[in-house]
Amino acid sequence: MSALVLAIDGPSGSGKSSTAKALAIRANWSYLDTGALYRAVTLLALEQNEFEEHRLLDLLDSNQISFNTDPNHPRIFLNEKDISQEIRLQKINDHVSQISAMPQVRKILLDLQRKYISDAPIGIVVEGRDIGTVVAPQAQLKIYLHADIDARVKRREGEMSERVNTETVERSLTNRDQIDSTRVVSPLSQAVDAAVIDSTRLTLDEVTDQIWKWLKQRNLLGLPTVAVIGRPNVGKSTLVNRMIGRREAIVEDTPGVTRDRVKYEAEWNGRRFFLIDTGGWEVKPEGISEKITAGAEAAISEADLIMFVVDAQVGALDEDESLVTLLRKSGKKIILVANKIDNAEDESEGYSLWNLGLGEPRFVSALHGRGSGDLLDLLIQQLPEVGTQQVDDGFRRVALVGRPNVGKSSLLNSLAGSPRSLVDDAEGTTRDAVDELIEFGGSTWRFIDTAGIRRRAHQASGTDYYASLRTQSALERAEVALVIFDASQTLTEQDIRIVSMADEAGKALVIVMNKWDLVDEERQLELEKEMDRQLERYPWVQRVNLSAKTGWHKDRLAPALRTALSSWEKRIPTAKLNAFLGELVGANPPPVRSGKQPKIKFATQAGTCPPKFVVFATGFLENSYRRFIERRLREDFGFLGTPVEVAVKLKERDDA
């Protein structure tokens, strides 16, 4: 599942509905009351006086049940009729357990519930019965909420849409508990990893505050997002670097250096948030500027708050007026930032920006830091408690690396099924490392699309130099590197250097031969020779031939990534490792050096990610013998797709 899921289970009347709605509103998540779906089916059965399962299934085929997942206005509909009040009648309470015990009805509603979960854009709070055990067993947080019968009766009375005496409500709840608890698989079963709350003597606020604390502790709440918007070359990236406290965004005295919208995590006074650095917005963009402007507009729709940056030295231009109109239509909070205010004299010029109609301009000098602290103070005051963007929640991190124009961004977009990264025929379109969560092959992956690594980037200056640094940083953050080659072109020294970079960084590794739709039989034979000759040091690397443009064989990528990551994390038990080493040394002892033969005492696996082995010996082991050990380790234990490190530690001879 791509959305974050909070599953709340428990018996009727324990406070699940009120708690779930309160949490969903606070977190800006969706909300699903699974019990309302069963109640809707029960109402349909009562209206048609039909309680035989096979006939009820026919009714479900010809009638539509839907749920509005907005926690502020949750509604249940039967054939577009709002039945939210009708399902709270006592006659529904009396029959709903009978309906929920029907296996085929449960299957239909289970599929519907999972669809609502998968459609949630950010996160969803799902409440009902058997949520953490059956409906969403992979939920990131599971809660089991219960209370004593008196508290449950009182709460249920408050939810009823008709007046019913207390004895009737208590008898209904008790009977339902009895029916549910005696079923083969009880919907009241508690997930083994659920956090339990007894809500009998707790207020709604106390229950929600406790769950909110758990959500924060597990890093499951979305961070607020700030989009930094403005014309080209007004200092947006310089301001982003100032606010995140490090030189991440590429800065150069040339308009249009930033092209993709790039997201960075920042923190100020204990508040964390995302900053989106965007390319310069233009009124009438042409060529690649058209895509850059579209990316800036996408960032506006994605943000919780917008920082509109204007070059105070230039003042407001007609383009700024047009952008103001666009920002107002977005309905988002806007902070007007007057950049390049280096002294009090500049401030007098900056006051003219009041004419934009966006309120008081905030004076800063992104280059020198003047006013940046005050701007950050204002920013965190204006930010919502929770934003619409997820935090990094443990998805596997994949770096896409390769020379410029080999199709890294095209592959990213192909896997996503939609344009996520800027693609253009111009070489070197991507300059920043761009993170994207993409679901394919049955899993969600965090892809980092990087700038193409050019030859002798360490000798370059400006854009290419910093893009190379960002790419190296992306490799460090990743767990597995996808090294992209253009299969239609001859392999270059630069291609091999990129493989070496990923290997030296200790990352799992998969080579992708892209543009396979352009490869004929003659080129295939040439390519095999090039691979054998230039990648002879990497026989353990998996290779996937695909075409990002057509999607051919992209389904082979997920299994290759999983294999590489599994090898990267593999650990061999010490006893098994030493049994292997004993057989190896017995059959092939280390070579004699200076008239003495080193004796291997034992070995241990010192770490994983990548696997690291330490061999304890009484003397130096030749590099060729270390490579022999590595090769045999791979033959016996796998390690496909990961570097393996074999180190030797000298140990004095045991004279005993």
Side-chain angles (χ1 to χ4, degrees), residues 169-420:
V169 175
E170 181 175 353
R171 184 168 57 253
S172 175
L173 288 177
T174 303
N175 288 342
R176 186 173 184 189
D177 288 348
Q178 178 64 27
I179 293 172
D180 290 343
S181 62
T182 56
R183 283 163 50 183
V184 176
V185 180
S186 172
L188 295 179
S189 297
Q190 176 185 320
V192 293
D193 53 348
V196 180
I197 298 180
D198 183 347
S199 66
T200 302
R201 293 173 178 81
L202 298 178
T203 65
L204 174 62
D205 287 343
E206 288 172 331
V207 173
T208 55
D209 284 347
Q210 177 59 63
I211 298 175
W212 191 260
K213 181 179 178 181
W214 285 331
L215 285 167
K216 292 182 72 173
Q217 286 176 342
R218 301 190 187 191
N219 208 30
L220 297 176
L221 293 171
L223 295 183
T225 299
V226 180
V228 183
I229 304 294
R231 290 184 294 103
N233 214 34
V234 295
K236 298 184 296 297
S237 295
T238 305
L239 182 59
V240 167
N241 283 338
R242 177 68 59 182
M243 296 177 77
I244 64 179
R246 59 191 184 277
R247 193 163 186 172
E248 283 278 347
I250 301 171
V251 176
E252 191 173 305
D253 249 350
T254 307
V257 169
T258 302
R259 292 178 173 180
D260 287 294
R261 60 187 191 276
V262 189
K263 187 182 298 180
Y264 304 101
E265 190 173 322
E267 183 174 349
W268 183 255
N269 288 344
R271 287 290 307 279
R272 292 193 302 141
F273 55 94
F274 285 126
L275 275 174
I276 304 180
D277 186 18
T278 66
W281 185 89
E282 298 181 32
V283 178
K284 297 179 180 179
E286 296 180 358
I288 196 169
S289 295
E290 190 173 347
K291 298 177 182 179
I292 295 170
T293 296
E297 293 175 0
I300 292 172
S301 63
E302 184 180 341
D304 300 295
L305 184 146
I306 297 166
M307 283 177 45
F308 176 31
V309 183
V310 179
D311 184 342
Q313 300 289 342
V314 176
L317 303 180
D318 291 342
E319 288 91 339
D320 292 308
E321 298 283 356
S322 299
L323 185 49
V324 167
T325 302
L326 178 68
L327 294 176
R328 282 182 175 147
K329 288 180 179 179
S330 74
K332 304 292 179 69
K333 289 183 180 179
I334 302 168
I335 296 178
L336 175 60
V337 178
N339 191 25
K340 305 184 183 179
I341 301 287
D342 297 322
N343 50 52
E345 185 179 339
D346 292 337
E347 289 185 8
S348 61
E349 299 293 332
Y351 283 116
S352 64
L353 297 178
W354 275 95
N355 294 332
L356 288 171
L358 294 177
E360 180 182 356
R362 306 293 171 168
F363 299 151
V364 300
S365 172
L367 185 62
H368 301 113
R370 187 175 189 264
S372 59
D374 292 338
L375 177 61
L376 282 163
D377 287 340
L378 175 67
L379 186 68
I380 61 174
Q381 289 174 13
Q382 299 286 332
L383 283 175
E385 183 181 14
V386 176
T388 55
Q389 299 302 304
Q390 293 182 7
V391 295
D392 188 349
D393 42 15
F395 294 122
R396 309 315 298 258
R397 300 183 300 279
V398 184
L400 292 171
V401 294
R403 289 187 296 110
N405 216 32
V406 294
K408 298 182 295 297
S409 298
S410 296
L411 178 59
L412 183 79
N413 293 338
S414 176
L415 294 173
S418 63
R420 297 292 187 91

Side-chain angles (χ1 to χ4, degrees), residues 88-107:
R88 296 299 171 186
L89 298 172
Q90 183 57 40
K91 64 180 181 180
I92 302 295
N93 292 343
D94 292 339
H95 292 87
V96 68
S97 285
Q98 179 183 354
I99 299 299
S100 63
M102 297 178 179
Q104 293 304 310
V105 171
R106 284 176 56 80
K107 184 180 184 304

Side-chain angles (χ1 to χ4, degrees), residues 483-602:
V483 181
I484 316 296
F485 291 168
D486 181 344
S488 67
Q489 302 294 320
T490 302
L491 298 188
T492 68
E493 180 184 342
Q494 188 67 3
D495 287 317
I496 310 310
R497 193 177 76 84
I498 293 167
V499 175
S500 178
M501 282 179 61
D503 177 27
E504 290 169 3
K507 305 304 177 181
L509 188 58
V510 176
I511 287 178
V512 171
M513 288 294 179
N514 191 24
K515 306 187 183 182
W516 202 258
D517 52 315
L518 305 179
V519 176
D520 56 23
E521 290 186 12
E522 183 179 349
R523 174 58 191 150
Q524 288 185 34
L525 293 174
E526 292 175 356
L527 184 59
E528 291 298 332
K529 293 177 183 177
E530 292 170 13
M531 294 285 289
D532 290 342
R533 183 174 63 255
Q534 300 195 55
L535 292 173
E536 61 179 353
R537 291 174 49 201
Y538 306 100
W540 46 267
V541 176
Q542 299 173 94
R543 179 178 130 191
V544 178
N545 303 328
L546 57 77
S547 170
K549 184 177 180 180
T550 66
W552 182 80
H553 276 179
K554 70 178 182 180
D555 58 313
R556 297 185 176 183
L557 203 50
L561 288 171
R562 291 193 184 97
T563 298
L565 285 166
S566 176
S567 298
W568 194 60
E569 297 171 331
K570 183 178 293 185
R571 180 175 291 278
I572 308 301
T574 301
K576 194 172 183 180
L577 176 63
N578 282 288
F580 151 81
L581 192 61
E583 293 179 10
L584 178 81
V585 173
N588 299 277
V592 175
R593 190 170 190 267
S594 300
K596 296 181 180 179
Q597 184 174 56
K599 183 179 180 182
I600 293 178
K601 308 292 288 184
F602 63 94

Side-chain angles (χ1 to χ4, degrees), residues 589-635:
V592 175
R593 190 170 190 267
S594 300
K596 296 181 180 179
Q597 184 174 56
K599 183 179 180 182
I600 293 178
K601 308 292 288 184
F602 63 94
T604 185
Q605 184 170 354
T608 58
C609 306
K612 302 172 185 176
F613 298 92
V614 177
V615 177
F616 292 86
T618 59
F620 180 81
L621 296 182
E622 302 285 352
N623 288 336
S624 59
Y625 195 75
R626 298 186 197 193
R627 290 195 295 272
F628 169 68
I629 294 175
E630 178 189 336
R631 186 172 69 252
R632 289 296 305 273
L633 276 168
R634 292 184 181 280
E635 290 174 1

